[in-house]
Amino acid sequence: MAFAPMGPEASFFEVLDRHRESLLAALRRGGQEPRSGGSRLASSSEVLVSIENIIQDIITSLARNEAPAFTIDNRSSWENIKFEDSVGLQMVSHCTTRKIKSDSPKSVKKFALILKILSMIYKLVQSNTYATKRDIYYTDSQLFGNQTVVDNIINDISCMLKVSRRSLHILSTSKGLIAGNLRYIEEDGTKVNCTCGATAVAVPSNIQGIRNLVTDAKFVLIVEKDATFQRLLDDNFCNKLSPCIMITSTPVFQHLKSKGKGVPDLNTRLLVRKLWDTFHVPVFTLVDADPHGIEIMCIYKYGSMSMSFEAHRLTVPAIRWLGLLPSDLKRLNVPKDSLIPLTNRDQMKLDSILRRPYVTCQPFWRKEMEIMADSKMKAEIQALTFLSSDYLSRVYLPNKLKFGGWI
Amino acid sequence: MEGTAVAVFEILRFLIIHWKCNIDVSKGALLEGQLEISIEGLHSKHQANALHCVTTIASAGSLFGGMVLKKFLKEIQSTLPGISAKLTWTSEEGSYPQDMTGVTPFQMTFEVDEKPRTLMTDCLVIKHFLRKIIMVHPKVRFNFSVKVNGIFSTEIFGVENEPTLNLGNGIALVVDSQHYVSRPNFGTIESHCSRIHPVLGHPVILFIPEDVAGMDLLGELILTPAAALCPSPKVSSNQLNRISSVSIFLYGPLGLPLILSTWEQPVTTFFKDTSSLIDWKKYHLCIVPNLDLKLDRDLVLPDVSYRAESSEGDQSQNMDPQGQTLLLFLFVDFHSAFPVQQMEIWGVYTLLTTHLNAILVESHSVVQGSIQFTVDQVLEQHHQAAKAQQKLQASLSVAVNSIMSILTGSTRSSFRKMCLQTLQAADTQEFETKLHKVFREITQHQFLHHCSCEVKQLTLEKKDSAQGTEDVPDNSSRELLAGTNGQAENKRLKRGSLRMEEMRALHSARAPSPSEAAPHRPEATAATLTPSGRAALKAHGRALAPGRVSLGSRLEGPSRRHQAALHQRPGGVQSLTPVRAALEGTHRHPGTSLLTLMGFRLEGIFPAALLPLLLTMILFLGPLMQLSMDCPCDLADGLKVVLAPRSWARCLTDMRWLRNQVIAPLTEELVFRACMLPMLAPCMGLGPAVFTCPLFFGVAHFHHIIEQLRFRQSSVGNIFLSAAFQFSYTAVFGAYTAFLFIRTGHLIGPVLCHSFCNYMGFPAVCAALEHPQRRPLLAGYALGVGLFLLLLQPLTDPKLYGSLPLCVLLERAGDSEAPLCS
């Protein structure tokens, strides 16, 4: 590469390369890699036919004098989720379902709304146009009430038709940023080069459509917070440890009421997955040493319960936890006053993560979480700046990468 | 209404009373059977322009098991003096031996001369009477046939297969609205809900005014209102329909229609005054009596009917002539302490038909309160249903529009064809209308099914709860009877006769001494309460039973009779009366309302708060001394800390402090003292109650064992040992607070003592024995215990705390010896 900035000497990547080898070996051992996510995308006509079939079912049941109902897999309980080390959280094949009936006072509204959004999707697919979830909400905001209702129904429809959201011609705005050694061509032919200095490129909204990805990157680093991402860019981290790729997903304030913090958006997750599928370079996460950071990492790695029906397209089980490990705090003697005590909510979250199925196959993660639970303290990545202002990019990350400090 | 109709009424009424009294009323079973009524009119030979009518009432099939006809004949003839008809009986006792089949078909005939015109009205009136009976006796069928000069017409009255709402007490209400309102026939099936959803109000006891109380009623008249809205045939989904008419149906005991003696003027004065039943202004309605009662309609004729006119408030809004009809059923029932005789019920009928107006006027405020409450509930229920309906409509149109949009937008002709075929529609327009219709029908059907299911469940629950409550008093009284054998019977009889005399005396003496009468007729006083009193009564009803339904059902059937019995005989079944009184009545005695029984009262509250606490502190003299000796700060500093608002704030935000010092004492005392003692004491006397009650308290602390066993905090033996220890000292402490509760009649004292003891914990005797200043400390211990024993009686002297409600209660119950009360 002509303009490739000078990275560290080759010996720096020895451990990383070995890690990559082991990952590839594991992949080979597991037989053929799991069905590539993007490969089976429902065509427009398939989507149209499945919507028509649903309508036909409704009309037939009406003709039989039965109240029509939708049957949707129940994705809100852990009983319907199975964990597979190579895929992440998946729906079990014979999961319990819930019915959305048209004749019960409680669900009749939801029934009608599902039909309404189905008809909108039908139009979108027919005319080959795309709309965001927000667009759909604003077509009749009075009827929908709030955005969450629309989001949930779209997820339900996606689950019911077994078609990805993309195939439903529904977009979600990308919130993610990407920087580093990566070039690709978007569906419409735009050439994108992420390899430039202090600015990052937005994650494209049509991940399935990007082609010709080229990279020399030795690793991909997922950064939880936008602020840290910017900081690393400013410190010229990309060039210092070149070649590499950095990705962040600015928190999407999706469920302001319930969570307070965001979860990674779909496009960023799809991109990470795509990078892994294409290049099989190691993927690391840099998150806060708090339960929420762990949750975000778990979503990248194993997927979430509500999107479990699409897990095989979204998860990257090869992801490793690079930092900030709760054990690092002690090891590096991070000053106590930069730590934050866990709140009750944090405690509850931590407990719930510890109970999840995937923790059993991650003994080191478990240990780290137990350390956090014991110390009752959490820390943000910024805590490292107490040691020195560029400690993170100059010392912490290079050392971790060089000596394999991930788990 | 002439001879024939009157005679038929009276005979039917008597028949049903007899019938009902013969089958066991307490089972609450519905009457079942078929009666034939036929009138045959022929031109009279004696009188010109008159018909000689022969009326036959006969039973078809088995009706009265084991009824002795001759006795019946005698009785009915004595009660039907006003009928100038010739009454003959044909019993076929000979051909059907009673002991073999147990079935006695019978037939009775009477003859009378009447004018043709009168006969016609009579027939109509009889038909309405029959309709009204089957509304509440849905399993009875009447075959009514008339034959005049060879022209024969017959009609069958029966609603056997229609949905009903079981009201208990052997009657059930037919809930199909077609019997109550006429609905014009629309071409489409737009009908909303063909069922009415009656709401049962809470029963109120009617007060019989003095001037009509000449008869010896050994029971109470209880009025239970039930209300329902008959939906208007027009479904207006956007706006709530307004009430356009009100129909009132009066039913007497055993669900027999009350035909007022002044039948020609159906509106008695009580009902003439439209505001006497309900405060219509609350609903922005102006109600006027509706005198336009058409006899020839095929509906159940209301006894009283009102029409709504637009109130002054909104003149602009024109009243919809086909708005909703509010149906109001007033069931007046008779309950007595003793098995009700049929003659007695007959007497009640006579009383009600002649004096209903006066009785209702006398009990005006309770009746109004109960009815208003019921109507409120009905309207609220309807409002909810209408809202759900609106939501359904809105959702359906969204769904249909979406389907249409997909269908019309589809480019696949096979799909469109298939859809159209499925609904057998020719084009999309027809498809849309059909889709809409089918969709609505199905969902609405399900929707309505849903709500009618609720009604059914309601009845079931009602039955269950009724049985549940019935069983308790039944069993216990039976046990009691068995236990005390014949003696109890004798006593009971004696008491019964005494009671009768008492009642007579009461009737005569009521005027001069109302205060004396008051305790015997608690509901009477309630009846004359001010509105606030009524509200309290209502609130009491709500608080006592988990809901209106169970209250209503609790008072149904035999349980209601028991209740009546208990009201009637304060000194009756000794073990039950006070319990019931404690459970039931805020209006039992002025001084023994539920709250005062539970120790919530103001009289003597200051000594009650201070003296028991002082007594406890004296007992804890030793530990207190120990505490002050071990305290690092001196008294002044300590006081400063105690009085500082900051320390209080800290206490109040500390959950453990709140639990130990406030919540636990309050709740434990409330449950184990305030709620338990008023029930235990009347059953077993005060002394045993003091020692029984803490056992519950001790057992309630056993859960610590489970906790400790689960977490294996120490060896099993130790756990049980400590549990036994804890049980014993909580029991001792419980006995002490129970003693305090009974002696002071206040809850506050035990609560404060409990809080204090929780703070002190169990005296650290071992630490005291090894204390450097052992001697004065041990002296303090001894002195404390000594002083405590010395002061225990004088400091808890009941005289200090005013009259004790529990003692008053026991005294009234005849348990005058209670030693703790003095």
Side-chain angles (χ1 to χ4, degrees), chain A residues 52 56 59 62 65 102-103 105 109 112 115-116 122-123 126, chain B residues 391 395 402 405 409-410 412 415 418 431 435 442-443 446:
Chain A
E52 281 165 3
Q56 221 162 324
I59 290 168
L62 279 175
N65 247 357
S102 56
D103 57 348
K109 181 162 185 204
L115 267 178
K116 168 121 186 155
Y122 193 81
K123 283 241 165 70
Q126 256 186 342
Chain B
K391 209 172 118 184
S395 297
S402 308
S405 129
S410 171
R412 217 153 53 98
F415 165 66
M418 187 98 85
F431 179 78
L435 183 66
I442 289 174
T443 49
Q446 297 285 343

PDB file of all heavy atoms in Angstrom, chain A residues 52 56 59 62 65 102-103 105 109 112 115-116 122-123 126, chain B residues 391 395 402 405 409-410 412 415 418 431 435 442-443 446:
ATOM      1  N   GLU A  52     -49.086 -11.653   0.970  1.00  0.00           N
ATOM      2  CA  GLU A  52     -50.371 -12.049   0.382  1.00  0.00           C
ATOM      3  C   GLU A  52     -50.902 -13.307   1.060  1.00  0.00           C
ATOM      4  O   GLU A  52     -52.101 -13.432   1.299  1.00  0.00           O
ATOM      5  CB  GLU A  52     -50.202 -12.285  -1.114  1.00  0.00           C
ATOM      6  CG  GLU A  52     -50.184 -10.990  -1.908  1.00  0.00           C
ATOM      7  CD  GLU A  52     -49.672 -11.185  -3.314  1.00  0.00           C
ATOM      8  OE1 GLU A  52     -49.391 -12.335  -3.697  1.00  0.00           O
ATOM      9  OE2 GLU A  52     -49.536 -10.178  -4.027  1.00  0.00           O
ATOM     10  N   GLN A  56     -54.443 -13.802   2.798  1.00  0.00           N
ATOM     11  CA  GLN A  56     -55.330 -14.884   2.387  1.00  0.00           C
ATOM     12  C   GLN A  56     -55.763 -15.724   3.594  1.00  0.00           C
ATOM     13  O   GLN A  56     -56.927 -16.103   3.704  1.00  0.00           O
ATOM     14  CB  GLN A  56     -54.600 -15.765   1.393  1.00  0.00           C
ATOM     15  CG  GLN A  56     -55.494 -16.195   0.264  1.00  0.00           C
ATOM     16  CD  GLN A  56     -54.654 -16.668  -0.906  1.00  0.00           C
ATOM     17  OE1 GLN A  56     -53.586 -16.123  -1.180  1.00  0.00           O
ATOM     18  NE2 GLN A  56     -55.107 -17.688  -1.567  1.00  0.00           N
ATOM     19  N   ILE A  59     -58.451 -13.931   5.394  1.00  0.00           N
ATOM     20  CA  ILE A  59     -59.753 -13.968   4.728  1.00  0.00           C
ATOM     21  C   ILE A  59     -60.370 -15.361   4.814  1.00  0.00           C
ATOM     22  O   ILE A  59     -61.572 -15.502   5.042  1.00  0.00           O
ATOM     23  CB  ILE A  59     -59.607 -13.492   3.278  1.00  0.00           C
ATOM     24  CG1 ILE A  59     -59.308 -11.993   3.309  1.00  0.00           C
ATOM     25  CG2 ILE A  59     -60.867 -13.734   2.481  1.00  0.00           C
ATOM     26  CD1 ILE A  59     -58.855 -11.427   2.020  1.00  0.00           C
ATOM     27  N   LEU A  62     -61.801 -15.765   8.160  1.00  0.00           N
ATOM     28  CA  LEU A  62     -63.042 -14.997   8.275  1.00  0.00           C
ATOM     29  C   LEU A  62     -64.177 -15.748   7.584  1.00  0.00           C
ATOM     30  O   LEU A  62     -65.293 -15.804   8.098  1.00  0.00           O
ATOM     31  CB  LEU A  62     -62.871 -13.630   7.628  1.00  0.00           C
ATOM     32  CG  LEU A  62     -62.170 -12.559   8.454  1.00  0.00           C
ATOM     33  CD1 LEU A  62     -61.979 -11.316   7.631  1.00  0.00           C
ATOM     34  CD2 LEU A  62     -62.979 -12.248   9.692  1.00  0.00           C
ATOM     35  N   ASN A  65     -65.761 -18.179   9.537  1.00  0.00           N
ATOM     36  CA  ASN A  65     -66.375 -17.626  10.740  1.00  0.00           C
ATOM     37  C   ASN A  65     -65.490 -17.759  11.975  1.00  0.00           C
ATOM     38  O   ASN A  65     -65.957 -17.952  13.084  1.00  0.00           O
ATOM     39  CB  ASN A  65     -67.712 -18.291  11.025  1.00  0.00           C
ATOM     40  CG  ASN A  65     -68.832 -17.284  10.849  1.00  0.00           C
ATOM     41  OD1 ASN A  65     -68.553 -16.105  10.576  1.00  0.00           O
ATOM     42  ND2 ASN A  65     -70.050 -17.711  11.015  1.00  0.00           N
ATOM     43  N   SER A 102     -57.715 -11.063  16.939  1.00  0.00           N
ATOM     44  CA  SER A 102     -58.475  -9.881  16.526  1.00  0.00           C
ATOM     45  C   SER A 102     -59.730  -9.737  17.362  1.00  0.00           C
ATOM     46  O   SER A 102     -60.435  -8.764  17.248  1.00  0.00           O
ATOM     47  CB  SER A 102     -58.857 -10.007  15.067  1.00  0.00           C
ATOM     48  OG  SER A 102     -59.572 -11.203  14.881  1.00  0.00           O
ATOM     49  N   ASP A 103     -60.010 -10.693  18.206  1.00  0.00           N
ATOM     50  CA  ASP A 103     -61.276 -10.621  18.921  1.00  0.00           C
ATOM     51  C   ASP A 103     -61.105 -10.389  20.408  1.00  0.00           C
ATOM     52  O   ASP A 103     -62.052 -10.494  21.160  1.00  0.00           O
ATOM     53  CB  ASP A 103     -62.091 -11.902  18.692  1.00  0.00           C
ATOM     54  CG  ASP A 103     -61.309 -13.118  19.104  1.00  0.00           C
ATOM     55  OD1 ASP A 103     -60.101 -12.975  19.336  1.00  0.00           O
ATOM     56  OD2 ASP A 103     -61.902 -14.194  19.185  1.00  0.00           O
ATOM     57  N   PRO A 105     -60.207  -7.657  23.304  1.00  0.00           N
ATOM     58  CA  PRO A 105     -60.106  -6.203  23.425  1.00  0.00           C
ATOM     59  C   PRO A 105     -58.661  -5.745  23.568  1.00  0.00           C
ATOM     60  O   PRO A 105     -58.305  -4.642  23.171  1.00  0.00           O
ATOM     61  CB  PRO A 105     -60.914  -5.890  24.678  1.00  0.00           C
ATOM     62  CG  PRO A 105     -61.638  -7.110  25.024  1.00  0.00           C
ATOM     63  CD  PRO A 105     -61.023  -8.263  24.323  1.00  0.00           C
ATOM     64  N   LYS A 109     -56.044  -3.936  18.764  1.00  0.00           N
ATOM     65  CA  LYS A 109     -55.358  -2.771  18.208  1.00  0.00           C
ATOM     66  C   LYS A 109     -54.035  -3.201  17.580  1.00  0.00           C
ATOM     67  O   LYS A 109     -53.684  -2.763  16.490  1.00  0.00           O
ATOM     68  CB  LYS A 109     -55.124  -1.735  19.302  1.00  0.00           C
ATOM     69  CG  LYS A 109     -54.440  -0.528  18.737  1.00  0.00           C
ATOM     70  CD  LYS A 109     -54.552   0.692  19.589  1.00  0.00           C
ATOM     71  CE  LYS A 109     -53.931   1.843  18.831  1.00  0.00           C
ATOM     72  NZ  LYS A 109     -53.475   2.907  19.667  1.00  0.00           N
ATOM     73  N   ALA A 112     -54.609  -4.771  14.272  1.00  0.00           N
ATOM     74  CA  ALA A 112     -54.865  -3.798  13.213  1.00  0.00           C
ATOM     75  C   ALA A 112     -53.575  -3.106  12.804  1.00  0.00           C
ATOM     76  O   ALA A 112     -53.327  -2.879  11.621  1.00  0.00           O
ATOM     77  CB  ALA A 112     -55.898  -2.790  13.679  1.00  0.00           C
ATOM     78  N   LEU A 115     -51.468  -5.223  10.576  1.00  0.00           N
ATOM     79  CA  LEU A 115     -51.992  -5.225   9.210  1.00  0.00           C
ATOM     80  C   LEU A 115     -51.631  -3.927   8.504  1.00  0.00           C
ATOM     81  O   LEU A 115     -51.251  -3.917   7.338  1.00  0.00           O
ATOM     82  CB  LEU A 115     -53.509  -5.395   9.247  1.00  0.00           C
ATOM     83  CG  LEU A 115     -54.002  -6.826   9.146  1.00  0.00           C
ATOM     84  CD1 LEU A 115     -55.504  -6.858   9.232  1.00  0.00           C
ATOM     85  CD2 LEU A 115     -53.558  -7.424   7.830  1.00  0.00           C
ATOM     86  N   LYS A 116     -51.731  -2.834   9.241  1.00  0.00           N
ATOM     87  CA  LYS A 116     -51.451  -1.532   8.644  1.00  0.00           C
ATOM     88  C   LYS A 116     -49.995  -1.481   8.169  1.00  0.00           C
ATOM     89  O   LYS A 116     -49.721  -1.066   7.037  1.00  0.00           O
ATOM     90  CB  LYS A 116     -51.731  -0.452   9.685  1.00  0.00           C
ATOM     91  CG  LYS A 116     -51.235   0.906   9.325  1.00  0.00           C
ATOM     92  CD  LYS A 116     -52.358   1.901   9.292  1.00  0.00           C
ATOM     93  CE  LYS A 116     -51.831   3.212   8.771  1.00  0.00           C
ATOM     94  NZ  LYS A 116     -52.857   4.020   8.169  1.00  0.00           N
ATOM     95  N   TYR A 122     -45.864  -3.717   2.029  1.00  0.00           N
ATOM     96  CA  TYR A 122     -46.251  -4.236   0.728  1.00  0.00           C
ATOM     97  C   TYR A 122     -46.029  -3.176  -0.352  1.00  0.00           C
ATOM     98  O   TYR A 122     -45.456  -3.440  -1.410  1.00  0.00           O
ATOM     99  CB  TYR A 122     -47.719  -4.656   0.795  1.00  0.00           C
ATOM    100  CG  TYR A 122     -48.193  -5.489  -0.365  1.00  0.00           C
ATOM    101  CD1 TYR A 122     -47.937  -6.841  -0.404  1.00  0.00           C
ATOM    102  CD2 TYR A 122     -48.895  -4.915  -1.406  1.00  0.00           C
ATOM    103  CE1 TYR A 122     -48.370  -7.615  -1.454  1.00  0.00           C
ATOM    104  CE2 TYR A 122     -49.337  -5.677  -2.463  1.00  0.00           C
ATOM    105  CZ  TYR A 122     -49.077  -7.033  -2.493  1.00  0.00           C
ATOM    106  OH  TYR A 122     -49.506  -7.794  -3.542  1.00  0.00           O
ATOM    107  N   LYS A 123     -46.492  -1.956  -0.022  1.00  0.00           N
ATOM    108  CA  LYS A 123     -46.333  -0.854  -0.986  1.00  0.00           C
ATOM    109  C   LYS A 123     -44.847  -0.579  -1.221  1.00  0.00           C
ATOM    110  O   LYS A 123     -44.421  -0.361  -2.358  1.00  0.00           O
ATOM    111  CB  LYS A 123     -46.997   0.403  -0.421  1.00  0.00           C
ATOM    112  CG  LYS A 123     -48.497   0.382  -0.542  1.00  0.00           C
ATOM    113  CD  LYS A 123     -48.962   1.555  -1.413  1.00  0.00           C
ATOM    114  CE  LYS A 123     -50.404   1.343  -1.834  1.00  0.00           C
ATOM    115  NZ  LYS A 123     -51.334   1.497  -0.699  1.00  0.00           N
ATOM    116  N   GLN A 126     -43.277  -3.267  -3.291  1.00  0.00           N
ATOM    117  CA  GLN A 126     -43.751  -3.192  -4.668  1.00  0.00           C
ATOM    118  C   GLN A 126     -43.065  -2.089  -5.445  1.00  0.00           C
ATOM    119  O   GLN A 126     -42.632  -2.275  -6.581  1.00  0.00           O
ATOM    120  CB  GLN A 126     -45.256  -2.935  -4.658  1.00  0.00           C
ATOM    121  CG  GLN A 126     -46.041  -4.169  -4.976  1.00  0.00           C
ATOM    122  CD  GLN A 126     -47.504  -3.845  -5.105  1.00  0.00           C
ATOM    123  OE1 GLN A 126     -47.974  -2.804  -4.647  1.00  0.00           O
ATOM    124  NE2 GLN A 126     -48.225  -4.749  -5.730  1.00  0.00           N
TER     125      GLN A 126
ATOM    126  N   LYS B 391     -63.045   1.234  20.525  1.00  0.00           N
ATOM    127  CA  LYS B 391     -61.685   0.842  20.183  1.00  0.00           C
ATOM    128  C   LYS B 391     -61.722  -0.253  19.131  1.00  0.00           C
ATOM    129  O   LYS B 391     -60.984  -0.220  18.148  1.00  0.00           O
ATOM    130  CB  LYS B 391     -60.993   0.331  21.453  1.00  0.00           C
ATOM    131  CG  LYS B 391     -59.502   0.537  21.464  1.00  0.00           C
ATOM    132  CD  LYS B 391     -58.954   0.196  22.825  1.00  0.00           C
ATOM    133  CE  LYS B 391     -57.990  -0.949  22.723  1.00  0.00           C
ATOM    134  NZ  LYS B 391     -57.493  -1.406  24.006  1.00  0.00           N
ATOM    135  N   SER B 395     -60.143  -0.054  15.383  1.00  0.00           N
ATOM    136  CA  SER B 395     -59.117  -1.008  14.969  1.00  0.00           C
ATOM    137  C   SER B 395     -59.571  -1.791  13.747  1.00  0.00           C
ATOM    138  O   SER B 395     -58.794  -2.043  12.834  1.00  0.00           O
ATOM    139  CB  SER B 395     -58.811  -1.976  16.099  1.00  0.00           C
ATOM    140  OG  SER B 395     -58.283  -1.274  17.177  1.00  0.00           O
ATOM    141  N   SER B 402     -56.324  -1.716   5.573  1.00  0.00           N
ATOM    142  CA  SER B 402     -55.011  -2.248   5.218  1.00  0.00           C
ATOM    143  C   SER B 402     -55.148  -3.432   4.274  1.00  0.00           C
ATOM    144  O   SER B 402     -54.434  -3.528   3.280  1.00  0.00           O
ATOM    145  CB  SER B 402     -54.271  -2.681   6.479  1.00  0.00           C
ATOM    146  OG  SER B 402     -54.267  -1.643   7.405  1.00  0.00           O
ATOM    147  N   SER B 405     -56.017  -2.242   0.926  1.00  0.00           N
ATOM    148  CA  SER B 405     -54.911  -1.599   0.229  1.00  0.00           C
ATOM    149  C   SER B 405     -53.981  -2.648  -0.368  1.00  0.00           C
ATOM    150  O   SER B 405     -53.489  -2.486  -1.485  1.00  0.00           O
ATOM    151  CB  SER B 405     -54.181  -0.654   1.200  1.00  0.00           C
ATOM    152  OG  SER B 405     -52.823  -0.886   1.192  1.00  0.00           O
ATOM    153  N   GLY B 409     -53.716  -3.249  -4.366  1.00  0.00           N
ATOM    154  CA  GLY B 409     -52.394  -2.967  -4.903  1.00  0.00           C
ATOM    155  C   GLY B 409     -51.713  -4.180  -5.503  1.00  0.00           C
ATOM    156  O   GLY B 409     -50.691  -4.072  -6.144  1.00  0.00           O
ATOM    157  N   SER B 410     -52.280  -5.335  -5.252  1.00  0.00           N
ATOM    158  CA  SER B 410     -51.598  -6.547  -5.699  1.00  0.00           C
ATOM    159  C   SER B 410     -51.617  -6.673  -7.216  1.00  0.00           C
ATOM    160  O   SER B 410     -52.605  -6.351  -7.866  1.00  0.00           O
ATOM    161  CB  SER B 410     -52.281  -7.762  -5.065  1.00  0.00           C
ATOM    162  OG  SER B 410     -51.769  -8.920  -5.651  1.00  0.00           O
ATOM    163  N   ARG B 412     -50.827  -9.606  -8.533  1.00  0.00           N
ATOM    164  CA  ARG B 412     -51.007 -11.023  -8.798  1.00  0.00           C
ATOM    165  C   ARG B 412     -52.505 -11.300  -8.903  1.00  0.00           C
ATOM    166  O   ARG B 412     -53.237 -11.184  -7.916  1.00  0.00           O
ATOM    167  CB  ARG B 412     -50.387 -11.845  -7.678  1.00  0.00           C
ATOM    168  CG  ARG B 412     -49.742 -13.117  -8.174  1.00  0.00           C
ATOM    169  CD  ARG B 412     -48.626 -13.551  -7.256  1.00  0.00           C
ATOM    170  NE  ARG B 412     -49.083 -13.637  -5.874  1.00  0.00           N
ATOM    171  CZ  ARG B 412     -49.441 -14.792  -5.301  1.00  0.00           C
ATOM    172  NH1 ARG B 412     -49.395 -15.913  -5.957  1.00  0.00           N
ATOM    173  NH2 ARG B 412     -49.823 -14.799  -4.056  1.00  0.00           N
ATOM    174  N   PHE B 415     -54.047 -14.157  -6.703  1.00  0.00           N
ATOM    175  CA  PHE B 415     -54.277 -13.809  -5.300  1.00  0.00           C
ATOM    176  C   PHE B 415     -55.590 -13.065  -5.135  1.00  0.00           C
ATOM    177  O   PHE B 415     -56.398 -13.370  -4.259  1.00  0.00           O
ATOM    178  CB  PHE B 415     -53.099 -12.956  -4.806  1.00  0.00           C
ATOM    179  CG  PHE B 415     -53.348 -12.228  -3.527  1.00  0.00           C
ATOM    180  CD1 PHE B 415     -53.536 -12.910  -2.344  1.00  0.00           C
ATOM    181  CD2 PHE B 415     -53.388 -10.838  -3.491  1.00  0.00           C
ATOM    182  CE1 PHE B 415     -53.747 -12.240  -1.161  1.00  0.00           C
ATOM    183  CE2 PHE B 415     -53.609 -10.158  -2.324  1.00  0.00           C
ATOM    184  CZ  PHE B 415     -53.788 -10.867  -1.159  1.00  0.00           C
ATOM    185  N   MET B 418     -58.559 -15.312  -5.697  1.00  0.00           N
ATOM    186  CA  MET B 418     -58.738 -16.214  -4.556  1.00  0.00           C
ATOM    187  C   MET B 418     -59.447 -15.509  -3.409  1.00  0.00           C
ATOM    188  O   MET B 418     -60.372 -16.045  -2.796  1.00  0.00           O
ATOM    189  CB  MET B 418     -57.365 -16.701  -4.101  1.00  0.00           C
ATOM    190  CG  MET B 418     -57.423 -17.760  -3.054  1.00  0.00           C
ATOM    191  SD  MET B 418     -57.255 -19.376  -3.765  1.00  0.00           S
ATOM    192  CE  MET B 418     -55.496 -19.542  -3.845  1.00  0.00           C
ATOM    193  N   PHE B 431     -66.429  -6.846  -2.029  1.00  0.00           N
ATOM    194  CA  PHE B 431     -65.512  -7.526  -1.129  1.00  0.00           C
ATOM    195  C   PHE B 431     -65.290  -6.687   0.132  1.00  0.00           C
ATOM    196  O   PHE B 431     -65.323  -7.192   1.244  1.00  0.00           O
ATOM    197  CB  PHE B 431     -64.180  -7.752  -1.850  1.00  0.00           C
ATOM    198  CG  PHE B 431     -63.162  -8.423  -0.996  1.00  0.00           C
ATOM    199  CD1 PHE B 431     -63.211  -9.786  -0.777  1.00  0.00           C
ATOM    200  CD2 PHE B 431     -62.151  -7.689  -0.396  1.00  0.00           C
ATOM    201  CE1 PHE B 431     -62.276 -10.402   0.015  1.00  0.00           C
ATOM    202  CE2 PHE B 431     -61.214  -8.302   0.401  1.00  0.00           C
ATOM    203  CZ  PHE B 431     -61.273  -9.670   0.608  1.00  0.00           C
ATOM    204  N   LEU B 435     -66.214  -7.853   3.681  1.00  0.00           N
ATOM    205  CA  LEU B 435     -65.120  -8.027   4.629  1.00  0.00           C
ATOM    206  C   LEU B 435     -65.425  -7.291   5.929  1.00  0.00           C
ATOM    207  O   LEU B 435     -65.279  -7.828   7.033  1.00  0.00           O
ATOM    208  CB  LEU B 435     -63.832  -7.483   4.015  1.00  0.00           C
ATOM    209  CG  LEU B 435     -62.569  -7.642   4.835  1.00  0.00           C
ATOM    210  CD1 LEU B 435     -62.220  -9.107   4.966  1.00  0.00           C
ATOM    211  CD2 LEU B 435     -61.413  -6.904   4.173  1.00  0.00           C
ATOM    212  N   ILE B 442     -67.851 -11.240  13.388  1.00  0.00           N
ATOM    213  CA  ILE B 442     -67.072 -12.239  14.113  1.00  0.00           C
ATOM    214  C   ILE B 442     -66.468 -11.652  15.377  1.00  0.00           C
ATOM    215  O   ILE B 442     -66.657 -12.186  16.472  1.00  0.00           O
ATOM    216  CB  ILE B 442     -65.968 -12.823  13.215  1.00  0.00           C
ATOM    217  CG1 ILE B 442     -66.600 -13.703  12.168  1.00  0.00           C
ATOM    218  CG2 ILE B 442     -64.965 -13.604  14.044  1.00  0.00           C
ATOM    219  CD1 ILE B 442     -65.634 -14.208  11.165  1.00  0.00           C
ATOM    220  N   THR B 443     -65.805 -10.544  15.196  1.00  0.00           N
ATOM    221  CA  THR B 443     -65.135 -10.000  16.376  1.00  0.00           C
ATOM    222  C   THR B 443     -66.162  -9.570  17.405  1.00  0.00           C
ATOM    223  O   THR B 443     -65.965  -9.763  18.597  1.00  0.00           O
ATOM    224  CB  THR B 443     -64.259  -8.814  16.004  1.00  0.00           C
ATOM    225  OG1 THR B 443     -64.991  -7.931  15.213  1.00  0.00           O
ATOM    226  CG2 THR B 443     -63.019  -9.270  15.288  1.00  0.00           C
ATOM    227  N   GLN B 446     -67.463 -12.480  19.210  1.00  0.00           N
ATOM    228  CA  GLN B 446     -66.491 -12.926  20.206  1.00  0.00           C
ATOM    229  C   GLN B 446     -66.440 -11.956  21.374  1.00  0.00           C
ATOM    230  O   GLN B 446     -66.347 -12.334  22.527  1.00  0.00           O
ATOM    231  CB  GLN B 446     -65.114 -13.024  19.575  1.00  0.00           C
ATOM    232  CG  GLN B 446     -65.026 -14.037  18.470  1.00  0.00           C
ATOM    233  CD  GLN B 446     -64.987 -15.448  18.998  1.00  0.00           C
ATOM    234  OE1 GLN B 446     -64.708 -15.650  20.173  1.00  0.00           O
ATOM    235  NE2 GLN B 446     -65.301 -16.409  18.169  1.00  0.00           N
TER     236      GLN B 446
END
